[in-house]
Amino acid sequence: MSDSARDPQFGYDDHFTPARTRKKRKNRPTTEPPSPSVLLDKTSEELAANDWLRDTKQILRESLEEAFASSDIAPDVLCLGLGSPSSSRDARAQLAFLLAACDDLRIDRTKVSVFDPVFAEQDIHLLAQRGLVPFTENHVARHAVDTPTIVFMPHCDLHLYENLFRENWSLERLSNILLIANRLSEYADSTPSRKLAADHPCVARLAPYLTSRTLQPYAPYPTAFNNTALQFVRTSALAEREPNWWVLPPRSNPRLGGSRPGSTAMAPTAAVGSQAEARSDVIVDVVGARRLGSNSSSSRDRLAPTPTSPTRIATALSPAPPAPAPPSPPVIGANGATGTSPADPTAPPPSDAASTSDVPVPPQRDLVTPGSGGTRTNGPDDAAQSPAGGVTIMTSPAES
């Protein structure tokens, strides 16, 4: 056997030619993206061709018959936190489902109110084109529901559900709500009961009495309808609740929102007895709002004003004590003794170094120390939260 047969040579017969970038054609026509209306029509066609929409419509019809059995009229629709259909794929799928459900239930589209703070001009134009009624005033989900209403709140934050229930915290109003949203029972199962009862008392109390029917996942849009359920409360489930069950603690956190002026759903807030207590309430509210910051960048949580620095509020609200009067300069007598009697006219004036009248006296201010120990807590509600980063106000002896 020859040496060439024992030691074969490996190599390329053809020369390797690297790929070159193609030159951009100058006169190539630019393609514009499809309009939001075209994208919505395409999404609606995809939903209609799937059995998921048919099964979901059936669940919705059965839930309506059970929730609003005594009503013969078509319900209203309130949609909150939808997102931007012009830029979000999930929002388009949710809007397509809402339109299909309204058509199936023969609900007039002019009875469908829609709001989200992220709506752009294209979104408002699209919603109005489809016959819906977008509005611009942000109530932070505090809408009074006086007639049977389907409330569609897909993947909103928990404090928005709390605001909705608190605004309608009565047997008559709660029975008017059919909520299509995240399953509230999961919040009750995954959150410590004491924390849920303190932060969201309405959700904590109402979750065990809700009738819930979970929607099946939709594979083409896995994040649009996941963890979504149809939820309502039967009148008989709450008819035997004790009066104390309906009494809610006052809400002190501005980010979570309170009741609107004139609302009777919220329990009256106790009056503050002193200026120090009023100042501590303001500080607790602002620091609590910062501590409960948004955990996402979605529009579901951008529904409250930005809090102000608690140190600036404490400085602005705490009165500064008057500066003490400067002491009289010492007087040197003829025999060398000192005293506080009027100075001798013939005596030389005191030097600048010995004068204390020009020395500024710093005013005493309250110290706000988040998460540290102190001499006084801000109240019973805040004292329960102090282990998790509460706020303590340390006052000067003059103020205490």
Side-chain angles (χ1 to χ4, degrees):
M1 182 178 295
S2 61
D3 295 338
S4 60
R6 290 193 303 266
D7 299 327
Q9 298 294 328
F10 296 94
Y12 292 103
D13 295 336
D14 300 332
H15 294 285
F16 176 75
T17 303
R20 297 179 181 178
T21 57
R22 300 180 61 183
K23 295 182 180 180
K24 296 182 179 180
R25 298 179 181 178
K26 297 181 180 180
N27 298 327
R28 177 179 298 177
T30 58
T31 59
E32 297 181 357
S35 63
S37 181
V38 173
L39 294 176
L40 180 60
D41 292 337
K42 182 179 179 181
T43 306
S44 300
E45 294 175 358
E46 294 177 358
L47 279 176
N50 197 291
D51 294 338
W52 180 90
L53 181 60
R54 181 196 60 191
D55 298 339
T56 304
K57 288 180 180 179
Q58 181 63 27
I59 297 175
L60 181 57
R61 285 192 297 266
E62 295 175 356
S63 300
L64 280 177
E65 294 176 358
E66 187 175 355
F68 307 142
S70 59
S71 178
D72 298 333
I73 61 175
D76 297 333
V77 178
L78 175 64
C79 178
L80 302 175
L82 178 67
S84 175
S86 62
S87 58
S88 173
R89 187 171 178 265
D90 288 346
R92 281 195 297 271
Q94 294 164 357
L95 178 58
F97 162 71
L98 179 62
L99 295 175
C102 292
D103 295 342
D104 182 69
L105 299 173
R106 298 181 180 180
I107 299 176
D108 189 355
R109 292 188 178 183
T110 58
K111 299 175 64 176
V112 181
S113 302
V114 189
F115 173 79
D116 196 300
V118 301
F119 280 163
E121 291 296 333
Q122 289 182 329
D123 301 319
I124 297 178
H125 177 73
L126 175 64
L127 296 171
Q129 183 185 22
R130 298 306 170 106
L132 308 184
V133 182
F135 59 94
T136 58
E137 187 176 359
N138 187 0
H139 296 293
V140 202
R142 300 192 304 268
H143 295 267
V145 181
D146 297 320
T147 58
T149 304
I150 299 175
V151 182
F152 187 41
M153 299 176 63
H155 303 324
C156 289
D157 284 346
L158 183 57
H159 76 272
L160 297 180
Y161 302 134
E162 174 71 17
N163 288 352
L164 176 68
F165 290 140
R166 182 179 281 264
E167 187 70 16
N168 299 277
W169 195 245
S170 66
L171 181 60
E172 293 76 15
R173 285 186 174 181
L174 289 177
S175 59
N176 289 329
I177 297 176
L178 174 62
L179 181 65
I180 305 178
N182 293 1
R183 283 188 297 173
L184 300 182
S185 60
E186 289 200 355
Y187 292 105
D189 296 338
S190 60
T191 307
S193 58
R194 182 176 298 180
K195 177 176 177 57
L196 186 64
D199 297 341
H200 308 93
C202 294
V203 175
R205 301 182 189 187
L206 195 60
Y209 301 98
L210 288 175
T211 299
S212 179
R213 296 182 178 179
T214 306
L215 300 183
Q216 297 297 323
Y218 184 43
Y221 297 88
T223 58
F225 303 100
N226 63 310
N227 194 31
T228 303
L230 283 73
Q231 303 160 93
F232 60 93
V233 59
R234 294 186 178 92
T235 306
S236 59
L238 301 180
E240 299 180 357
R241 294 296 93 198
E242 298 180 357
N244 293 336
W245 191 86
W246 297 97
V247 179
L248 297 176
R251 172 171 289 169
S252 61
N253 197 324
R255 176 181 177 274
L256 303 184
S259 293
R260 292 178 295 173
S263 174
T264 59
M266 184 175 179
T269 305
V272 181
S274 63
Q275 181 182 5
E277 292 178 353
R279 182 172 65 251
S280 65
D281 291 340
V282 175
I283 297 173
V284 169
D285 290 349
V286 175
V287 176
R290 177 168 295 177
R291 184 171 62 252
L292 295 177
S294 173
N295 58 358
S296 65
S297 59
S298 65
S299 64
R300 275 72 166 168
D301 196 38
R302 288 178 289 182
L303 299 174
T306 304
T308 313
S309 172
T311 305
R312 295 177 58 187
I313 291 181
T315 304
L317 294 181
S318 58
S328 302
V331 178
I332 302 175
N335 56 356
T338 60
T340 57
S341 60
D344 187 0
T346 61
S351 62
D352 294 339
S355 177
T356 59
S357 60
D358 295 335
V359 178
V361 178
Q364 298 181 0
R365 299 290 186 182
D366 290 350
L367 300 179
V368 181
T369 308
S372 63
T375 60
R376 180 168 56 88
T377 57
N378 299 325
D381 295 338
D382 299 298
Q385 299 179 0
S386 59
V391 179
T392 306
I393 298 180
M394 300 178 62
T395 60
S396 60
E399 288 185 317
S400 60

